[in-house]
Amino acid sequence: MTNPSAPPPPSGSPRRSSDRLLHLALGLFAIGLLAIVAIFLTPILSDAAPGLWLYLIAMLAPLGFLVGVGYALWSGRRSR
């Protein structure tokens, strides 16, 4: 049974800056994965080789992974 005198938690909690870091990590990782898929699909769909820019964009996947690991370590240390 809940305590009726306890105030309800605020519904619109302010966004922390660390949430932005998580969204950045997920976005970078997703863009990198899409570039990796495009690298494999380019020779199948056309006779051309993938461009250098596609390989450079694919490097966002490990960068996003590292940012995600950094976010996990930073948020876990902060919640103690």
Side-chain angles (χ1 to χ4, degrees), residues 62-79:
L63 180 65
F65 180 75
L66 290 176
V67 171
V69 168
Y71 165 78
L73 292 174
W74 187 61
S75 66
R77 182 172 177 97
R78 187 188 59 220
S79 67

Side-chain angles (χ1 to χ4, degrees), residues 23-47:
H23 291 291
L24 175 70
L26 290 174
L28 289 174
F29 189 74
I31 291 170
L33 285 182
L34 286 175
I36 291 170
V37 169
I39 288 171
F40 284 107
L41 288 180
T42 300
I44 294 172
L45 299 176
S46 68
D47 291 333

